Amino acid sequence: MVIVVGWLVRPTLNVKPWVEQRPVKDIDGDGALRLPTIKVGLGVFLTVATSLFALLISAYHMRMMAADWVTLALPRVLWLNTAVLILAGVAMQWTRSAAQWGQIDNVRLGLIAAGVLTFSFLAGQLWAWQQLNASGYFVRNDPATAFFYLLTALHGLHLLGGMWVWGRTTAKVLRGVEVAKVRLSVELCAVYWHYLLLVWLVLFAVLLHTHT
Amino acid sequence: MVLAGVLVLLVVGSVLFHYLSPWYFTPIASNWDTIDETVTITFWVTGFVFVVINLFMAYCVLRYRHRKGKPAHYEPENKKLEGALVLATTLGVIAMLAPGLFAWAKFIDVPKDAPVVEVVGRQWNFNYRFPGADGALGTVDARFISAENPFGMNPDDPKGQDDILISSPELHLPVNKPVKVELRSIDVLHDFTVPQFRAKMNMVPGLVTYLWFTPTRTGDFDVYCMQLCGIAHFAMRGKVVVDEEPAFKAWQSSHPTFAQTRTQVAGDAAAGKPLYAVCTACHGAQAEGNPALNAPKLSGQADWYLRRQLKNFKLGARGTHDKDVFGKMMAPMAATLADDAAINNVVAYIKTLPDTPAPPTVTGNAKKGHDAFETCGACHGADGQGTWATNAPRLKGMSDWYLVTQLKNFKEGIRGAHAKDMYGPQMGFMAAILDAQETNDLAAYIDTLR
Amino acid sequence: MTTVTHDESPYAPPAEVGEVELYHPKTFIGKYIWSQDAKVIAVQYAITAIGVGLVALVLSGIMRLQLGFPHEFSFINPSNYLQFVTMHGMIMVIYLLTALFLGGFGNYLIPLMVGARDMVFPYVNMVSYWVYLFAVLLLMASFFVPSGPTGAGWTLYPPQAILPGTPGANWGIILMLISLAFFIIGFTMGGLNYVVTVLQARTRGMTMMRLPLTVWGIFMATILALLAFPLGTSFFMPALVSRGEHLGYNGGSPILFQHLFWFFGHPEVYIVALPAFGIVSDLISVNARKNIFGYRMMVWAILAIGGLSFMVWAHHMYVSGMNPYFGFFFATTTLIIAVPTALKVYNWVLTLWKGDIHLTVPMLFAIGFVFTFINGGLTGLFLGNVPVDIPLSGTMFVVAHFHMVMAVSPILVVFGAIYHWYPKVTGRILNDTLGKFHFWVTFIGTYAIYYPMHYLGFLGVPRRYYAMGNSVVIPDSAQSLNAGITIAALIVGAVQAVFLYNLIWSYFRGKPAGGNPWRATTLEWQTPETPPKHGNFGPELPVVYRWAYDYSVPGAAEDFIPQNQPPAKTPGGPEKTLEKTLDAAELGPQKLDASGMPKPVGG
């Protein structure tokens, strides 16, 4: 973190601010990242989300070492869900390239496909919860189950947040706005989807690793 | 002007307060002078900084206050000055840190030959355990905890058989002998602190923590729990008595080993029946109690509680206060029970008697009593059935008028204040929060719990 | 040294939020309730935070009555006492100070000080406030559920936090955790705005090293919070979902929880402290009519403190039963963090030195802060040094220390800042007499509360005790000390009513302030209107030519030069700039010629 901020002040690191003298045109945008603000915003948010998931996973690992840990059997449907989420990521990537090439029809198709796949993933996750519940596990039963619900729920909530942006973008595309106006949104969606796919793969690996 | 003066006054006042006020460390009673010395060094370093910076600030406020035509001096930074200050600060920090780290190294390095004593924390009491002749503590596990085995001793561990169990919050230690204190909790986080020893450590469920010290003078010392552990946290107190070696040995040998507590036979109700004849006159044939004679209902009360109270009466821990008129009547009666076996037998007999709820006699606002009972329920159980683990007797269905009298006695120090009454002081703390009306309300509410 | 030329090219609008994209509220509700204007959101945050802080203040008054007069005031029982301790702590640290510094001052000052029209994501910013308000309401709701709010202490240590021996173990703790989760969600929304606005929306010429320290403090605190709060969720949530597991487990998880808690909890101290550091630097500089001494060191100190704050957490745990060898490491890192902190104190005092000190009400509070902070910081050296902590931890010494350093000190800054910026927010100056009265009672009163309290800690009086009762160590005289502390606390508490009265009275009757009543250099004082309109700066954003601390510059016409004032052309030639003058002045007075103007140096 200090490194990041250090990098930001890098251009002015050795400058004495009270004698700093440069033409305004050189100062313009000093230190600011030459990226769209919304992208910087997403970057900061993903950093925060990463720290959240990383810390949860480490808390999970440490809790697991306690003697009262009981493992639970993961529902098989999670494998299917994983495949669906990967497909959703692929669809998003495809949409992104379509947006770059300006193919509005493909953008429309890709967005809808990605949305449907993502909803299927979320439904599949709910189904997994249902299965766990049916087989007698309940949130309060033991820490392993509690962590499973917690991790999947948080991941799902992040996806739902993404779906909100997806919904707005898709609505725009369906209304027929030109492709340039949604290019940035599509790109942000794609980055976000890839990120959440990555998070899910890590989470799934962690859960699998400790349940076999 | 005023501000500068006030700053100077606050500095001077703080220093004077430090030297003149009667409040400071209690006289030390252990080998941890090094800790006190580190504190003294820290006081000198920080005190110096405190006085110098604040007086300088006061000087600046006075000297450089706004005056027409006197602009501020322009100086963006002064690397030399800042560097010198950083250096001086670092030296000051080292002066405090170095002795501190040495003291800490000693604190965590237990002498090899130090004998062990275990402190067991539970809501809201301290118990203690000494290793027996073999010098090693037996293993324990939360699964073994029960009314007969409050320490959770592993019954199959040969090392544990000779462990000496102190089921009271009072611990005796020999003077001038280092001791390693192993700390264990059986429910939540607790803490073991004796201010005069300067030593302190948390007790953590699932872990054994430790500290060590050498008591350097004889006397009585309070033990405090300094880690928030629930409603009665403030009432979780113990006592350490530092004795000369012989007195310590005598005290230690007056307590049973784990093996001895296991061989104590359960009371024999048949043998208890004739002994109970004495009690009948007041408490009634069915131990149903008699308000007219100020004798409470006994049937249905927990056996461990009845045993403890009979012993208290015998020991003089109860029924010896001048104002405890009815307790004084009970004391000679308890004395008729010759030994622990007799107490066990009579309690076993009482246990066979039918448990019919005592009739309500107290009028009060049960609704208000319900709110007040929230606190009581933490120990006595949400429905007042009593909880062995918290040393809290049953309340529901027992004589309500007796409850009112006893709460008053606790509040006024007539009961529970005796030095030998181990669990009484805690109830004293709790009773102190009730006034007469609230006591009646409580009793009225407890009458509804049946 | 290069010759300086100033770009005379016509003004080019910055790439950030343009006037056209700004959202324009039409209705009253759009303007003041569902507002997306950071300034309105700031006031919403501030009012909510102060409101909930008043609840916590009342709770502390009740607790003090119990401690000071245990026999006369037995109207709370031990459960209530612990509940009030918990709620007081949690509200003051999280819902008041964090929300007020970042949500209140952050929202108001960041866009104005960096020269932006608004936060970069105004909609998210608005949602942030409403989520925060919801978190506050949830927390308040816990007073009305069966068996009341949780009494687990603000640290919420398991296992006791979720066991029936602790008050509020069923409903209270759940509401507390859910409320915290919402607070964190709301904060993340706001925090994204504060960080990205500072990164992206600075106006032309506003380099990072020209930012006022207020912005630096808030910026760094937000980064700390963004990194630390997810941790908050990550340990609170397992605590919530694994309710019900308790007795008899053999893991070390209670200590694990404490590690996680303090890894979050210690940075939280700096989340409150860094904005205070920043704001007080500006208050002192303005009122001493002198640049903040050693600006660059101040920035580096903020960065160093922020970085180190993640490496000292276990100094809260010396007696927790953790591996004792950790003690060596954490005592060392903790005492190292004292060095940059001490440097900040030196630089505040050195800013006063040879200054032109105007003892305005904000300045009184700033100096009060420095005094209090020195005291609280120094007692931190006691608790940071591991063997000294042993006898003192868990006693009233700890309570006295952290109130000095992270309660009274930041609150004094909050007051100073409110007296300072109220004229910008409302256009009127707060009443001076009432302000001075408020300062004196608060400053001396809080010192009278907390300084003696350290000595109760030396005696061994434990914290979080409902009553001491009879004890061997604690003399009866300690009880009279406790009573004295209570009286001081009640007086200080009551005087806050004067402050509230002043806030309301001055809103209607206060002296009109004008645009720049303190004659300050930073951009928020250079707005065309006071209070600033939506969009802050009129049709064109300001261009920044200098740092934020050009006070009493030799040769300048006034004793302050606003950041957006273009350099004057000196008579020597059109290319010579004022900055040039400053640089020469820095070399020392001997370089100046008789007229007080610098000799030309370099090319």
Side-chain angles (χ1 to χ4, degrees):
Chain A
M1 171 197 56
V2 174
I3 299 168
V4 172
V5 179
W7 180 80
L8 283 171
V9 294
R10 162 190 50 91
T12 44
L13 190 60
N14 288 313
V15 173
K16 292 178 178 162
W18 51 95
V19 292
E20 195 196 355
Q21 22 190 289
R22 272 184 294 168
V24 168
K25 68 170 191 289
D26 289 355
I27 288 182
D28 189 15
D30 237 344
L33 306 163
R34 295 182 200 287
L35 283 172
T37 297
I38 185 87
K39 268 197 187 172
V40 178
L42 182 67
V44 175
F45 179 72
L46 292 188
T47 315
V48 174
T50 308
S51 106
L52 170 67
F53 283 111
L55 289 163
L56 269 175
I57 289 172
S58 66
Y60 177 76
H61 262 286
M62 286 189 272
R63 184 65 185 83
M64 216 168 60
M65 285 180 244
D68 63 335
W69 185 266
V70 190
T71 56
L72 84 165
L74 283 185
R76 290 272 176 92
V77 66
L78 290 179
W79 286 100
L80 182 66
N81 291 350
T82 309
V84 170
L85 193 61
I86 292 175
L87 286 180
V90 171
M92 272 297 179
Q93 185 60 32
W94 187 69
T95 317
R96 183 187 184 175
S97 344
Q100 254 147 26
W101 294 107
Q103 301 156 335
I104 190 72
D105 293 341
N106 288 347
V107 170
R108 192 180 307 134
L109 191 66
L111 276 176
I112 291 171
V116 169
L117 285 165
T118 310
F119 270 122
S120 316
F121 171 81
L122 289 173
Q125 295 291 80
L126 280 179
W127 191 19
W129 283 23
Q130 196 69 38
Q131 282 190 358
L132 267 188
N133 246 347
S135 54
Y137 291 97
F138 184 62
V139 176
R140 284 195 188 177
N141 234 10
D142 67 284
T145 329
F147 264 104
F148 175 78
Y149 279 108
L150 175 69
L151 293 171
T152 48
L154 273 178
H155 180 259
L157 282 176
H158 279 82
L159 258 186
L160 273 182
M163 288 306 278
W164 184 66
V165 180
W166 168 87
R168 281 174 39 143
T169 316
T170 313
K172 272 191 206 164
V173 172
L174 290 179
R175 272 206 313 271
V177 301
E178 51 187 300
V179 83
K181 288 227 169 137
V182 293
R183 193 171 287 147
L184 186 58
S185 306
V186 168
E187 196 182 335
L188 292 176
C189 277
V191 172
Y192 192 61
W193 252 253
H194 296 338
Y195 172 78
L196 283 182
L197 174 62
L198 188 71
V199 168
W200 171 249
L201 291 178
V202 172
L203 284 182
F204 193 42
V206 168
L207 290 169
L208 271 182
H209 173 65
T210 53
H211 287 104
T212 46
Chain B
M1 206 58 144
V2 183
L3 182 62
V6 170
L7 291 181
V8 172
L9 273 181
L10 284 180
V11 171
V12 173
S14 301
V15 174
L16 288 181
F17 185 92
H18 178 73
Y19 282 107
L20 299 183
S21 85
W23 305 295
Y24 195 55
F25 272 142
T26 44
I28 192 165
S30 79
N31 58 321
W32 292 121
D33 308 295
T34 40
I35 288 184
D36 282 14
E37 282 157 19
T38 320
V39 174
T40 311
I41 296 174
T42 313
F43 253 119
W44 277 107
V45 175
T46 57
F48 174 78
V49 175
F50 175 75
V51 170
V52 168
I53 300 189
N54 281 320
L55 289 185
F56 181 69
M57 186 161 73
Y59 164 77
C60 288
V61 169
L62 184 66
R63 171 77 177 68
Y64 300 108
R65 65 181 186 279
H66 173 63
R67 269 171 283 188
K68 272 240 158 72
K70 279 213 135 190
H73 176 70
Y74 184 82
E75 187 178 23
E77 69 179 14
N78 183 334
K79 281 249 163 103
K80 259 191 201 156
L81 181 58
E82 284 174 284
L85 286 172
V86 168
L87 192 70
T89 312
T90 312
L91 289 179
V93 162
I94 292 172
M96 288 182 284
L97 184 62
L101 293 185
F102 279 113
W104 180 243
K106 262 200 229 165
F107 190 83
I108 62 179
D109 180 27
V110 186
K112 289 269 180 306
D113 57 338
V116 171
V117 56
E118 184 190 61
V119 179
V120 183
R122 57 151 50 105
Q123 281 175 330
W124 286 278
N125 254 298
F126 297 98
N127 289 161
Y128 311 94
R129 179 163 68 121
F130 286 94
D134 63 358
L137 289 166
T139 51
V140 290
D141 195 296
R143 284 176 294 144
F144 298 123
I145 293 173
S146 69
E148 282 69 44
N149 185 0
F151 287 78
M153 306 281 294
N154 178 354
D156 301 326
D157 186 353
K159 281 190 181 152
Q161 301 303 321
D162 63 347
D163 287 4
I164 300 163
L165 306 183
I166 318 289
S167 295
S168 93
E170 184 176 303
L171 170 70
H172 287 233
L173 289 174
V175 71
N176 290 329
K177 287 259 175 82
V179 58
K180 179 184 185 188
V181 183
E182 292 193 348
L183 303 158
R184 180 161 73 91
S185 164
I186 61 174
D187 40 36
V188 300
L189 295 170
H190 293 288
D191 175 273
F192 178 83
T193 303
V194 179
Q196 290 95 332
F197 294 163
R198 307 288 190 265
K200 165 184 302 165
M201 193 54 72
N202 281 4
M203 300 190 255
V204 184
L207 283 185
V208 176
T209 55
Y210 71 91
L211 54 85
W212 78 276
F213 57 87
T214 308
T216 51
R217 60 183 166 92
T218 57
D220 290 8
F221 305 99
D222 282 351
V223 180
Y224 296 95
C225 174
M226 292 212 192
Q227 177 60 263
L228 180 58
C229 58
I231 291 171
H233 170 53
F234 74 102
M236 181 165 170
R237 311 275 173 100
K239 197 179 191 187
V240 172
V241 179
V242 178
D243 281 336
E244 298 293 347
E245 184 78 21
F248 166 71
K249 287 275 181 228
W251 171 83
Q252 197 186 31
S253 58
S254 70
H255 287 82
T257 63
F258 176 56
Q260 284 166 347
T261 63
R262 308 259 305 157
T263 52
Q264 274 174 1
V265 274
D268 177 359
K273 189 171 181 188
L275 292 170
Y276 185 75
V278 170
C279 319
T280 321
C282 295
H283 290 280
Q286 305 295 316
E288 71 277 17
N290 184 349
L293 296 171
N294 291 298
K297 173 182 174 243
L298 303 176
S299 62
Q301 187 52 279
D303 48 359
W304 50 265
Y305 177 73
L306 293 176
R307 280 201 293 270
R308 184 194 299 153
Q309 293 309 317
L310 282 170
K311 283 180 196 166
N312 276 353
F313 277 118
K314 265 191 81 163
L315 271 172
R318 218 186 137 179
T320 45
H321 193 283
D322 282 345
K323 285 188 183 161
D324 190 2
V325 183
F326 306 118
K328 276 192 191 158
M329 289 159 69
M330 182 64 204
M333 298 297 161
T336 63
L337 296 166
D339 52 15
D340 284 2
I343 291 178
N344 286 348
N345 291 344
V346 76
V347 169
Y349 176 71
I350 294 172
K351 218 176 170 181
T352 64
L353 297 173
D355 171 23
T356 26
T361 59
V362 179
T363 48
N365 183 337
K367 209 162 178 284
K368 280 189 183 162
H370 172 75
D371 296 340
F373 190 76
E374 189 102 27
T375 308
C376 318
C379 286
H380 292 274
D383 57 354
Q385 82 283 19
T387 310
W388 158 78
T390 49
N391 301 299
R394 171 175 157 177
L395 304 175
K396 73 166 177 183
M398 306 306 290
S399 309
D400 55 0
W401 55 268
Y402 177 72
L403 190 66
V404 171
T405 329
Q406 294 307 310
L407 280 172
K408 183 165 163 283
N409 285 353
F410 274 118
K411 187 178 160 98
E412 292 170 2
I414 296 168
R415 183 179 167 187
H418 194 279
K420 285 183 184 160
D421 190 346
M422 294 306 168
Y423 300 100
Q426 203 167 49
M427 192 61 219
F429 278 118
M430 291 301 173
I433 66 184
L434 297 167
D435 63 24
Q437 186 53 48
E438 284 167 330
T439 309
N440 285 342
D441 295 345
L442 257 180
Y445 172 68
I446 291 168
D447 280 335
T448 66
L449 296 170
R450 47 187 77 212
Chain C
M1 195 111 336
T2 51
T3 309
V4 181
T5 50
H6 267 288
D7 189 10
E8 301 293 331
S9 62
Y11 172 78
E16 294 319 318
V17 189
E19 179 70 15
V20 275
E21 287 181 36
L22 267 185
Y23 140 96
H24 285 285
K26 307 274 187 304
T27 60
F28 176 84
I29 288 183
K31 220 168 173 176
Y32 297 107
I33 310 292
W34 304 109
S35 176
Q36 299 184 21
D37 182 351
K39 297 188 291 300
V40 178
I41 296 172
V43 175
Q44 290 173 329
Y45 257 113
I47 290 175
T48 313
I50 291 173
V52 73
L54 285 176
V55 173
L57 183 71
V58 170
L59 294 182
S60 70
I62 298 174
M63 291 186 306
R64 269 324 311 182
L65 281 175
Q66 167 61 32
L67 287 180
F69 307 96
H71 304 297
E72 290 78 358
F73 294 93
S74 57
F75 52 75
I76 59 169
N77 63 35
S79 303
N80 299 144
Y81 181 77
L82 291 181
Q83 289 167 327
F84 291 178
V85 166
T86 308
M87 293 301 268
H88 169 79
M90 194 63 100
I91 290 175
M92 286 298 196
V93 173
I94 306 279
Y95 297 85
L96 169 64
L97 284 174
T98 308
L100 186 55
F101 271 127
L102 303 182
F105 290 112
N107 260 318
Y108 201 89
L109 296 175
I110 288 175
L112 277 166
M113 281 187 154
V114 305
R117 295 214 179 275
D118 203 332
M119 287 291 180
V120 287
F121 311 124
Y123 185 81
V124 180
N125 205 19
M126 174 189 81
V127 178
S128 155
Y129 168 71
W130 291 101
V131 175
Y132 162 69
L133 181 65
F134 182 63
V136 168
L137 292 177
L138 269 183
L139 189 73
M140 291 299 110
S142 71
F143 280 106
F144 305 100
V145 295
S147 75
T150 178
W154 87 281
T155 49
L156 303 178
Y157 282 169
Q160 46 260 55
I162 49 176
L163 290 182
T166 303
N170 30 22
W171 282 98
I173 184 77
I174 292 185
L175 277 176
M176 169 69 82
L177 292 173
I178 296 178
S179 167
L180 281 169
F182 273 101
F183 179 88
I184 291 165
I185 293 170
F187 176 77
T188 307
M189 295 178 171
L192 279 178
N193 259 307
Y194 316 148
V195 169
V196 180
T197 303
V198 173
L199 290 181
Q200 294 291 103
R202 278 170 289 137
T203 187
R204 301 201 331 149
M206 183 63 93
T207 61
M208 290 300 274
M209 292 304 275
R210 279 177 174 177
L211 287 175
L213 285 169
T214 299
V215 177
W216 267 111
I218 295 173
F219 176 62
M220 199 62 197
T222 309
I223 293 181
L224 289 190
L226 283 175
L227 293 178
F229 280 154
L231 189 74
T233 354
S234 68
F235 74 77
F236 287 134
M237 295 306 278
L240 177 63
V241 292
S242 55
R243 272 170 49 83
E245 41 132 346
H246 43 95
L247 293 186
Y249 57 79
N250 289 316
S253 18
I255 291 204
L256 165 67
F257 179 93
Q258 292 180 35
H259 276 295
L260 286 171
F261 179 85
W262 287 113
F263 192 70
F264 144 80
H266 194 77
E268 172 60 38
V269 174
Y270 290 97
I271 291 167
V272 172
L274 287 180
F277 289 174
I279 290 172
V280 88
S281 305
D282 286 355
L283 296 188
I284 288 178
S285 177
V286 171
N287 288 294
R289 310 310 297 164
K290 191 161 172 280
N291 63 283
I292 190 74
F293 191 86
Y295 172 83
R296 291 192 296 169
M297 283 297 223
M298 294 300 257
V299 172
W300 291 117
I302 286 179
L303 292 180
I305 292 170
L308 281 170
S309 73
F310 280 102
M311 286 187 252
V312 297
W313 77 90
H315 67 215
H316 297 268
M317 297 171 58
Y318 290 146
V319 298
S320 71
M322 66 172 179
N323 185 332
Y325 290 95
F326 286 3
F328 295 107
F329 176 77
F330 285 104
T332 309
T333 52
T334 303
L335 266 67
I336 288 175
I337 211 172
V339 177
T341 315
L343 183 77
K344 294 196 81 81
V345 173
Y346 300 146
N347 282 355
W348 290 323
V349 178
L350 287 172
T351 305
L352 297 175
W353 184 50
K354 297 192 182 174
D356 175 18
I357 298 170
H358 291 60
L359 286 180
T360 60
V361 177
M363 187 60 156
L364 289 175
F365 277 104
I367 291 173
F369 160 82
V370 175
F371 184 87
T372 312
F373 184 75
I374 289 173
N375 195 300
L378 291 174
T379 53
L381 293 170
F382 285 74
L383 297 175
N385 201 357
V386 42
V388 184
D389 179 65
I390 299 296
L392 296 177
S393 73
T395 66
M396 291 305 266
F397 187 95
V398 178
V399 177
H401 158 70
F402 73 69
H403 274 94
M404 275 283 198
V405 81
M406 74 170 291
V408 176
S409 298
I411 278 290
L412 288 176
V413 175
V414 164
F415 288 138
I418 290 177
Y419 283 97
H420 185 72
W421 279 294
Y422 188 87
K424 183 50 65 175
V425 179
T426 65
R428 290 175 189 271
I429 294 182
L430 283 168
N431 181 290
D432 202 53
T433 315
L434 290 180
K436 284 196 168 135
F437 175 71
H438 177 218
F439 165 75
W440 285 112
V441 178
T442 308
F443 174 54
I444 298 178
T446 47
Y447 198 71
I449 299 171
Y450 294 112
Y451 184 75
M453 197 186 278
H454 291 96
Y455 290 84
L456 287 177
F458 277 115
L459 280 173
V461 178
R463 64 191 283 208
R464 293 169 168 175
Y465 263 33
Y466 167 76
M468 274 312 293
N470 296 323
S471 64
V472 181
V473 265
I474 321 290
D476 288 342
S477 63
Q479 191 48 48
S480 54
L481 182 59
N482 242 332
I485 292 174
T486 296
I487 292 169
L490 293 177
I491 293 173
V492 171
V495 163
Q496 303 317 310
V498 174
F499 172 63
L500 292 180
Y501 172 77
N502 196 355
L503 283 184
I504 296 165
W505 184 85
S506 299
Y507 184 78
F508 298 105
R509 303 278 175 80
K511 219 164 57 181
N516 190 358
W518 313 111
R519 300 155 55 75
T521 58
T522 41
L523 291 182
E524 82 273 24
W525 299 106
Q526 323 305 335
T527 55
E529 299 100 0
T530 296
K533 291 254 167 24
H534 195 87
N536 294 348
F537 291 105
E540 287 190 349
L541 285 179
V543 178
V544 168
Y545 297 94
R546 61 190 73 248
W547 71 332
Y549 298 99
D550 269 345
Y551 290 103
S552 302
V553 178
E558 294 254 24
D559 66 352
F560 73 108
I561 312 173
Q563 278 189 282
N564 60 344
Q565 180 172 316
K569 297 195 170 71
T570 48
E575 307 299 82
K576 298 284 183 293
T577 66
L578 188 65
E579 274 104 342
K580 175 60 105 199
T581 316
L582 309 185
D583 194 27
E586 190 212 12
L587 299 174
Q590 72 279 7
K591 295 270 170 68
L592 300 179
D593 63 20
S595 70
M597 296 308 290
K599 293 171 185 166
V601 186

